[in-house]
């Protein structure tokens, strides 16, 4: 394909999200055309522009508007439609994020287009692009093709590697003016609940706890470990059902699917519905008292022992490394 | 007020998924209401109990889906609609087209659906239905409060909580934590047997063949992960070995 690609870029706390660079890389796998990254809300700064250029974007399109500072489907739809009219893309890529997975289906419906969600790999066979995506939370996979342009897809964070950095590549910058009207949703309040700055689905390291944590006390150790490693904390369904932590942390077929570089499971037995949500992690460590726990069957490294005895020295050991 | 709940029947999450020659084996599998749709059913019934509403559950799928619809009726929904197809299209654009047609006939004030299905997992159908019907939607809600025509919802945005004020008519998708679905009571199960369940075909809805926008070309199970190594020695030794292996062998620290 040679048509243009449009990517809905995302920022968190003013910084470009990694998934946007991954989306740029994904776009390049399906088209040799110009890659345009769309940023909504605030204008962009020099470092964002530089980074987008270095990782393969050709053009940066910004729509600055108060109503786009925070996501609502109404405002984002109006902005995306304006951007699609302006860019005339044949490929449209989103991160499979809170925003991307919510808005991409609406835009696809409006454009009468097919959309492939949660893509983890893109392969070409006999000149046809096949998108690989997990089904049943990773218990199985499927490959799909899209019949006609625009080719729309969302990508799962942490799966498609960004392009190699080529510093100093130039990016054209363009601003689109837009009048936004008839908003039906009004944001009244945003409560930051995520304790660390690292989002669970994008985290490179996830420290996760189950019923074996016995509650708050156990999770305190997990948070400490996650902080030392710069990771995020997750939980099994058992831990959430028991009320130890919020459902927002649940990993599994219900809950979130994560694919970090390192997953440390503490006091988690490994029910099949939990394994579906984490077994595609690159390296898995399991700490559990029960040597028969199914979690050990997917773990690269297992420690049979009480997490309350294992975690304190482990945290100390990592602290030593990090301060060295 | 009329509430429509979009419902899908899925494999129980404790089921293994076995694929033979690209086809998912269904024989012997336990089917349930998609867990996220079950939150939607429960929420609709709670709204009904706190005020006055008719709750209609709508599904598109094979005949076996009747079990899931009967369960929703046993929980307290009033009526069910099954758009029956032996081989429903898998493409989300097609599914949304079918459901939107059925929902349009019902002209509801509020549509509730699950945030995603635990089988296909795309989360596309509900937002697509909202777009086709020209309705506003809010995804992944964990709290719903009706204040006259106003609806105040809390949405889970990657762990952060957003409080949003909007109006009916509206589509909402249910996130985990919204509620704790009830078990149907025995009288509920008895009553459900007599509640109306309409079976429709695509032509009843005025639809011809659905032309999918995407095609599944292959399905397979991932390669089985091999069990790794259980570390040996006392705890201090195991911790030391683990840190060393994560740094030098796995290179993730």
């Amino acid at each position: 394909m040679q048509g243009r690609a449009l990517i809905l870029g995302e920022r968190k706390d003013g910084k470009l999200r990694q998934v946007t660079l991954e989306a740029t890389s994904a776009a390049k796998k399906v088209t040799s055309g110009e890659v345009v990254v769309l940023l909504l809300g605030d204008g962009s700064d020099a470092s964002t522009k530089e980074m987008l250029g270095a990782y393969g974007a050709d053009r940066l399109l910004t729509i600055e508007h108060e109503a786009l500072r925070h996501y609502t489907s109404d405002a984002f739809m109006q902005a995306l439609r304006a951007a699609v009219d302006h860019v005339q893309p044949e490929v449209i890529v989103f991160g499979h994020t809170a925003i991307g997975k919510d808005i991409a289906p609406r835009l696809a419906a409006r454009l009468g287009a097919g959309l492939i969600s949660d893509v983890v790999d893109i392969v070409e066979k006999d000149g046809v692009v096949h998108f690989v995506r997990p089904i049943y939370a990773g218990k199985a996979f499927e490959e799909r093709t899209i019949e006609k342009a625009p080719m729309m897809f969302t990508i799962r964070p942490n799966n498609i590697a960004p392009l190699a950095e080529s510093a100093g590549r130039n990016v054209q910058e363009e601003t689109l003016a837009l009048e936004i009207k008839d908003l039906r949703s009004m944001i009244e309040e945003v409560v930051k609940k995520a304790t660390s700055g690292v989002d669970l689905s994008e985290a490179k390291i996830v420290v996760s706890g189950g019923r074996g944590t016995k509650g708050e006390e156990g999770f305190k150790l997990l948070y400490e470990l996650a902080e030392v490693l710069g990771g995020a904390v997750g939980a099994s369904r058992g831990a959430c059902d028991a009320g130890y932590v919020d459902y927002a942390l649940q990993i599994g077929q219900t809950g979130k699917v994560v694919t970090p570089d390192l997953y440390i499971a503490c006091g988690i037995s490994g029910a099949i519905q939990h394994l579906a949500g984490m077994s595609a992690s690159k390296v898995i460590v399991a700490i559990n008292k029960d040597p028969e726990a199914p979690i050990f069957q997917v773990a690269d490294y297992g420690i049979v022992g009480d997490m309350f005895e294992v975690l304190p020295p482990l945290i100390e050991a990592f602290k030593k490394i990090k301060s060295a | 007020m009329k509430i429509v709940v979009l419902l899908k029947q899925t494999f129980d999450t404790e089921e293994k998924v076995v694929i033979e020659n690209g086809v998912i084996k269904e024989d012997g599998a336990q089917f349930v209401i998609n867990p996220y749709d079950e939150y939607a059913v429960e929420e609709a019934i709670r709204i009904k109990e706190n005020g006055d509403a008719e709750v209609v559950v709508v599904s598109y799928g094979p005949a076996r889906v009747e079990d899931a619809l009967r369960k929703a009726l046993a929980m307290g929904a009033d009526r069910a609609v099954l758009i029956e197809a032996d081989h429903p299209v898998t493409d989300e654009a097609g599914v949304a087209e079918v459901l939107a047609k059925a929902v349009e006939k019902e002209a509801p004030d509020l549509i509730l659906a699950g945030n995603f299905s635990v089988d296909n997992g795309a989360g596309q159908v509900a937002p697509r239905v909202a777009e086709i019907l020209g309705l506003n939607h809010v995804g992944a809600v964990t709290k719903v409060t009706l204040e006259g025509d106003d609806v105040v919802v809390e949405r889970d945005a990657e762990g952060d909580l957003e409080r949003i004020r909007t109006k009916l008519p509206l589509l909402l998708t249910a996130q985990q934590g919204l509620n704790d679905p009830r078990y149907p009571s025995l009288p509920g199960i008895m009553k459900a047997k007599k509640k109306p369940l309409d079976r429709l075909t695509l032509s009843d809805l005025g639809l011809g063949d659905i032309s999918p926008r995407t095609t599944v070309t292959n399905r397979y199970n991932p390669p089985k992960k091999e069990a790794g190594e259980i570390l040996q020695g006392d705890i201090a030794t195991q911790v030391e070995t683990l840190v060393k292996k994560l740094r030098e062998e796995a290179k993730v620290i």
Side-chain angles (χ1 to χ4, degrees), chain B residues 80-93:
Chain B
V81 177
L82 172 58
I83 305 134
E84 202 174 320
D86 290 341
H87 302 284
V89 292
T90 48
D91 177 55
E92 299 85 356

Side-chain angles (χ1 to χ4, degrees), chain B residues 93-203:
Chain B
V95 177
E97 196 181 328
V98 173
L99 287 172
K101 263 278 186 283
V103 173
E104 197 176 17
K105 280 188 153 190
E106 298 287 343
D109 305 284
L110 179 63
I111 304 169
L112 292 168
N115 185 27
F116 62 87
S117 61
V118 296
D119 50 6
N120 183 44
Q124 286 190 33
V125 170
R128 276 181 179 271
V129 167
E131 181 63 29
I132 294 169
L133 299 176
L135 295 174
N136 189 23
H137 91 275
V138 182
V141 306
T142 51
K143 192 175 179 191
V144 180
T145 315
L146 296 181
E147 297 177 1
D149 262 0
D150 272 19
V151 185
V152 180
V153 299
E154 290 181 1
R155 161 177 152 85
D156 164 37
E158 286 168 1
D160 289 338
L161 182 154
E162 300 171 353
R163 188 170 298 113
I164 295 166
R165 180 175 289 272
T166 179
K167 280 190 184 312
L168 298 174
L170 177 71
L171 182 147
L172 299 173
T173 73
Q175 173 68 310
Q176 207 172 17
L178 176 62
N179 54 43
D180 197 2
R182 71 193 66 194
Y183 290 102
S185 65
L186 194 58
I189 293 168
M190 297 311 287
K191 263 195 239 165
K193 289 180 180 164
K194 291 189 197 122
K195 287 183 179 173
L197 188 151
D198 293 334
R199 284 189 173 73
L200 301 178
T201 61
L202 292 187
S203 59

Side-chain angles (χ1 to χ4, degrees), chain A residues 106 110 147 188-189 255, chain B residues 36 119 131 135 163 165 215:
Chain A
R106 276 203 92 119
R110 177 61 67 102
E147 316 307 313
E188 290 192 327
E189 195 186 1
Chain B
Y36 290 87
D119 50 6
E131 181 63 29
L135 295 174
R163 188 170 298 113
R165 180 175 289 272
T215 307

Side-chain angles (χ1 to χ4, degrees), chain A residues 98 106 110 115 117 133 136 139 141 143-145 147 184-186 188-189 191 253 255 299 301-302, chain B residues 13 15 36 118-120 124 131 135-137 158 161 163 165-166 214-215 217-218 220 228-229 231 249:
Chain A
R106 276 203 92 119
R110 177 61 67 102
L115 168 68
S117 294
R133 60 185 297 271
Y136 299 86
K139 288 177 186 169
F141 286 82
E143 293 176 11
R144 281 208 213 185
T145 55
E147 316 307 313
R184 293 171 290 188
S185 288
M186 199 180 76
E188 290 192 327
E189 195 186 1
V191 185
Q253 198 169 359
Y301 307 109
Chain B
T13 53
E15 290 283 346
Y36 290 87
V118 296
D119 50 6
N120 183 44
Q124 286 190 33
E131 181 63 29
L135 295 174
N136 189 23
H137 91 275
E158 286 168 1
L161 182 154
R163 188 170 298 113
R165 180 175 289 272
T166 179
T214 64
T215 307
T217 55
N218 191 14
Y220 54 91
E229 114 188 62
L231 305 180
E249 206 172 88

Side-chain angles (χ1 to χ4, degrees), chain A residues 1-238:
Chain A
M1 201 173 253
Q2 288 154 7
R4 264 185 223 111
L6 178 68
I7 290 157
L8 176 61
E10 287 190 52
R11 286 171 287 190
K12 193 170 188 182
D13 305 323
K15 275 170 61 187
L16 207 59
R17 288 180 69 163
Q18 168 84 3
V19 71
T20 299
L21 304 178
E22 294 168 0
T24 308
S25 167
K28 293 257 184 206
K29 287 181 195 279
V30 295
T31 181
S32 56
E34 188 191 19
V35 174
V36 184
V37 174
L38 173 67
L39 287 177
L40 303 178
D42 297 312
S44 71
D45 52 26
S47 73
T48 304
K49 202 178 145 187
E50 212 170 276
M51 197 163 181
L52 283 170
Y55 287 94
D58 301 303
R59 181 149 53 116
L60 168 60
L61 181 63
T62 49
I63 303 179
E64 289 178 45
H65 200 292
E66 178 69 37
L68 297 170
R69 285 221 173 103
H70 209 94
Y71 174 76
T72 61
S73 55
D74 270 351
F76 268 54
M77 263 301 274
Q78 291 177 37
L80 276 164
R81 289 179 61 203
V84 167
D85 283 347
H86 184 75
V87 175
Q88 298 287 318
E90 286 189 22
V91 177
I92 309 177
V93 194
F94 302 81
H96 198 69
T97 58
I99 293 175
K101 66 182 161 198
D102 199 63
I103 199 66
R106 276 203 92 119
L107 184 67
R110 177 61 67 102
L111 299 175
L115 168 68
I116 301 179
S117 294
D118 209 13
V119 169
V120 296
D121 199 9
I122 298 169
V123 288
E124 203 179 301
K125 292 179 191 169
D126 305 323
V128 179
V129 177
H130 292 250
F131 296 88
V132 183
R133 60 185 297 271
I135 50 176
Y136 299 86
K139 288 177 186 169
F141 286 82
E142 71 178 18
E143 293 176 11
R144 281 208 213 185
T145 55
I146 302 188
E147 316 307 313
K148 57 177 197 190
M151 210 179 245
M152 294 181 66
F153 57 98
T154 69
I155 58 160
R156 174 179 293 191
N158 273 349
N159 282 269
I160 295 170
L163 299 172
E165 184 179 357
S166 60
R169 246 181 107 260
N170 216 11
V171 174
Q172 282 181 49
E173 200 175 354
E174 197 181 357
T175 311
L176 199 59
L178 181 68
E179 192 195 337
I180 291 181
K181 51 190 181 194
D182 303 329
L183 294 181
R184 293 171 290 188
S185 288
M186 199 180 76
I187 308 265
E188 290 192 327
E189 195 186 1
V190 178
V191 185
K192 295 263 172 207
K193 275 184 21 187
T195 39
S196 72
V198 193
D199 174 58
L200 194 51
S201 58
E202 245 181 325
K204 295 282 181 206
I205 296 177
V206 172
V207 181
S208 192
R211 278 194 189 271
T213 58
K214 296 186 181 128
E216 231 169 90
E217 188 194 346
F219 270 92
K220 234 165 85 185
L221 283 172
L222 299 192
Y223 275 108
E224 211 178 313
L225 178 58
E227 198 183 318
V228 173
L229 296 173
V233 171
S236 74
R237 181 176 181 163

